């Protein structure tokens, strides 16, 4: 049974599409910034019933089970054991195959079937809300938006009044394309509402964590750094991925010394290609290129097939003035991924360092045709000024 549930959770949700195409999200942005409606789109015209005495007994058992599971999950996350926490949640979900089935149907966009199946199996599905929410949060923390979305959707469907359901609702709104098309004031209001929910439930770290994740997703660096700081104040040490994301935000804010402390912790907790690459990038930001080159080499050795590892190494080599070596790394990066704009940019910087500004300009323009980046645009503008003198 556990293997079956893991298969559904980890593989069947490959059917997921953009949350913006879900029926439940048709009016989600408007609702999220005004108030939570009594029922979701999928619930309209449907009624659910459960005898009062039975409902009371079920609720008491569910609350006790939810509290025990959440306590164990939070303890594992606090200890930095996110994978173990996720395994525990999956084990719990094995007790609720009907709930996972609803998520699977939503992932396949079989919305009417999902709603009908939920109503047919309501007593078996409703107690799974907490486990579903915990799983959705852990999945979303890995920035697996499409995999997390069906689970947030089910959490919302089961009981709109719980803090978990309200958080799930905001998560779907923030991951929707609709919100991306709204004015900044609307986005600010959604974030303000989720922050109010987190403040109203200070002991619910999952809500605060999801606020932090969305801040990262929307490039709200100041707010995100503060949210991650609050989460990590309660998690000692916390999952490596949380520290890594926090460090990314600190780098964006040019708080490099703070970021470096997080990077060293992440490498110690989870020595991997991505963690060494993050450490090297922060050392680059501090212009500690001799140290960073050694770390970049480790990152490449551990992950030779990742294009960014090679182009990031070129940053340090350019900083050392080793432009020919930097070009070699950029060539390796582009062999793995021709759309690696940073490789084109670093190749351009290497050519500039060799006294070839016109060739450098051409390389950088290739980079900006792939991706618009303010610092890159400033560099191109400087190259043009120098060429026009």
């Amino acid at each position: 049974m556990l293997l079956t549930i893991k298969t559904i959770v980890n593989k069947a949700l490959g059917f997921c599409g953009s949350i913006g195409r879900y029926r439940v999200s048709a009016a989600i942005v408007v609702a999220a910034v005004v108030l939570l409606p009594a029922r979701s789109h999928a619930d309209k015209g449907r009624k659910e019933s459960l005898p009062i005495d039975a409902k009371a007994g079920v609720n008491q058992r569910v609350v006790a089970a939810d509290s025990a599971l959440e306590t164990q999950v939070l303890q594992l996350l606090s200890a930095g054991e996110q994978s173990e926490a996720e395994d525990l949640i999956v084990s719990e979900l094995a007790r609720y195959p009907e709930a996972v089935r609803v998520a699977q149907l939503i992932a396949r966009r079989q919305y009417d079937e999902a709603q009908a199946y939920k109503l047919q199996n309501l007593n078996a599905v409703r107690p799974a809300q907490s486990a579903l929410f915990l799983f959705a949060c852990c999945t979303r923390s890995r920035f697996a938006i499409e995999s997390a979305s069906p689970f947030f959707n089910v959490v919302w469907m089961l009981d709109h009044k719980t803090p978990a359901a309200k958080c799930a609702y905001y998560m779907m709104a923030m991951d929707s394309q609709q919100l991306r098309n709204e004015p900044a004031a609307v986005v600010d209001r959604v974030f303000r509402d989720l922050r109010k929910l987190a403040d109203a439930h200070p002991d619910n770290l999952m809500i605060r964590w999801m606020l932090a994740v969305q801040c990262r997703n929307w490039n709200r660096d100041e707010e995100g750094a503060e949210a991650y700081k609050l989460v990590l104040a309660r998690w000692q040490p916390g999952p490596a991925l949380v520290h890594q994301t926090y460090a990314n935000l600190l780098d964006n804010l040019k708080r490099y010394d703070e970021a470096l402390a997080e990077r060293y912790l992440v490498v110690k907790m989870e020595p991997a290609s991505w963690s060494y690459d993050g450490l090297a990038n922060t050392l680059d930001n501090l212009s500690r290129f001799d140290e960073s080159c050694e770390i970049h080499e480790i990152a490449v050795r551990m992950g030779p097939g990742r294009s960014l590892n090679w182009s990031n190494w070129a940053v340090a080599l350019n900083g050392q003035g080793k432009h020919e070596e930097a070009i070699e790394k950029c060539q390796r990066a582009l062999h793995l991924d021709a759309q690696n704009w940073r490789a084109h940019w670093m190749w351009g910087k290497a050519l500039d360092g060799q006294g070839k500004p016109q060739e450098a300009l051409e390389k950088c323009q290739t980079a900006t045709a792939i991706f618009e980046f303010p610092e890159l645009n400033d560099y191109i503008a400087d190259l043009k000024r120098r060429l026009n003198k």
Side-chain angles (χ1 to χ4, degrees):
M1 175 60 75
L2 180 57
L3 181 60
T4 301
I5 295 297
K6 282 187 174 181
T7 300
I8 292 174
V9 169
N10 295 327
K11 296 183 179 179
L13 296 185
F15 290 98
C16 298
S18 167
I19 186 67
R21 293 194 292 271
Y22 286 6
R23 284 178 60 193
V24 74
S25 71
I28 204 165
V29 173
V30 175
V33 300
V34 181
L35 66 118
L36 295 174
R39 292 183 181 276
S40 72
H41 178 85
D43 289 337
K44 289 182 179 178
R46 313 291 182 103
K47 292 186 178 180
E48 303 166 2
S49 62
L50 193 64
I52 293 176
D53 56 345
K55 186 182 294 184
V58 169
N59 286 345
Q60 289 174 355
R61 292 193 299 273
V62 169
V63 168
D66 288 352
S67 178
L69 174 64
E70 186 171 347
T71 297
Q72 294 178 65
V73 168
L74 289 175
Q75 287 174 344
L76 287 168
L77 290 172
S78 180
E81 306 292 346
Q82 182 168 345
S83 295
E84 287 77 1
E86 291 165 355
D87 286 344
L88 177 62
I89 299 167
V90 169
S91 297
E92 179 69 10
L93 286 176
R95 298 174 54 208
Y96 306 107
E98 296 87 354
V100 178
R101 175 63 176 165
V102 176
Q104 184 184 31
L105 290 169
I106 291 173
R108 291 174 171 172
R109 304 185 184 87
Q110 297 174 253
Y111 309 110
D112 290 337
E113 292 88 338
Q115 176 66 5
Y117 187 83
K118 183 199 79 168
L119 293 174
Q120 292 166 7
N121 300 275
L122 189 58
N123 291 353
V125 173
R126 179 170 277 163
Q129 188 187 52
S130 181
L132 289 165
F133 180 62
L134 291 170
F135 182 82
C137 290
C138 287
T139 302
R140 185 62 183 81
S141 76
R142 297 183 183 277
F143 300 95
I145 296 174
E146 293 184 353
S147 295
S149 293
F151 291 94
F152 280 129
N153 204 323
V154 179
V155 170
W156 165 247
M157 288 171 62
L158 293 179
D159 184 351
H160 302 336
K161 295 181 180 180
T162 66
K166 293 175 182 179
C167 179
Y169 195 80
Y170 288 125
M171 293 301 290
M172 289 191 291
M174 291 172 168
D175 286 334
S176 69
Q177 185 57 48
Q178 290 98 317
L179 193 58
R180 292 284 178 182
N181 297 330
E182 291 291 330
V186 175
V187 177
D188 289 342
R189 188 170 180 183
V190 176
F191 269 93
R192 184 171 66 249
D193 288 347
L194 180 55
R195 188 166 57 252
K196 286 171 63 177
L197 180 66
D199 291 340
H201 301 278
D203 292 331
N204 193 324
L205 284 181
M206 306 307 284
I207 297 177
R208 182 74 63 183
W209 191 15
M210 291 303 97
L211 171 61
V213 167
Q214 287 293 357
C215 287
R216 172 61 173 159
N217 191 42
W218 284 80
N219 298 318
R220 298 169 74 98
D221 296 340
E222 286 279 3
E223 186 178 357
E226 181 61 26
Y228 273 109
K229 183 179 180 179
L230 289 173
V231 170
L232 288 170
R234 299 272 299 278
W235 282 350
Q236 297 295 329
L241 184 60
V242 176
H243 288 278
Q244 180 80 350
T245 308
Y246 182 35
N248 289 336
L249 292 171
L250 293 171
D251 267 346
N252 291 347
L253 295 168
K254 297 183 172 22
R255 292 160 56 179
Y256 301 131
D257 289 325
E258 294 174 71
L260 190 60
E262 300 295 324
R263 301 294 193 192
Y264 279 124
L265 181 59
V266 174
V267 164
K268 182 178 179 180
M269 293 172 66
E270 193 164 341
S273 173
W274 59 268
S275 58
Y276 277 105
D277 184 59
L279 171 58
N281 291 339
T282 299
L283 288 169
D284 288 334
N285 289 330
L286 288 164
S287 298
R288 292 164 59 172
F289 299 118
D290 291 343
E291 295 171 72
S292 68
C293 265
E294 294 178 5
I295 305 300
H296 279 301
E297 186 174 3
I298 295 173
V300 164
R301 188 163 62 246
M302 297 181 78
R306 184 172 182 261
S307 177
L308 279 174
N309 286 347
W310 293 95
S311 55
N312 287 343
W313 192 356
V315 175
L317 290 167
N318 275 331
Q320 289 181 312
K322 298 178 179 178
H323 303 304
E324 195 61 43
E325 290 183 46
I327 291 173
E328 178 192 343
K329 307 310 178 196
C330 292
Q331 289 171 331
R332 294 288 297 271
L334 291 169
H335 176 74
L336 292 167
D337 179 7
Q339 296 300 303
N340 184 338
W341 62 275
R342 186 177 294 275
H344 288 289
W345 182 16
M346 290 304 107
W347 193 337
K349 292 193 78 170
L351 290 168
D352 190 20
Q354 291 177 331
K356 304 172 183 177
Q358 182 59 51
E359 294 177 56
L361 177 61
E362 293 170 5
K363 276 292 177 186
C364 290
Q365 287 174 330
T366 300
T368 198
I370 297 171
F371 182 75
E372 287 283 340
F373 187 66
E375 188 178 345
L376 171 57
N377 290 335
D378 291 343
Y379 187 76
I380 288 173
D382 179 63
L383 280 171
K384 288 180 178 178
R385 279 193 298 269
R386 284 187 277 139
L387 285 167
N388 289 331
K389 283 185 178 180

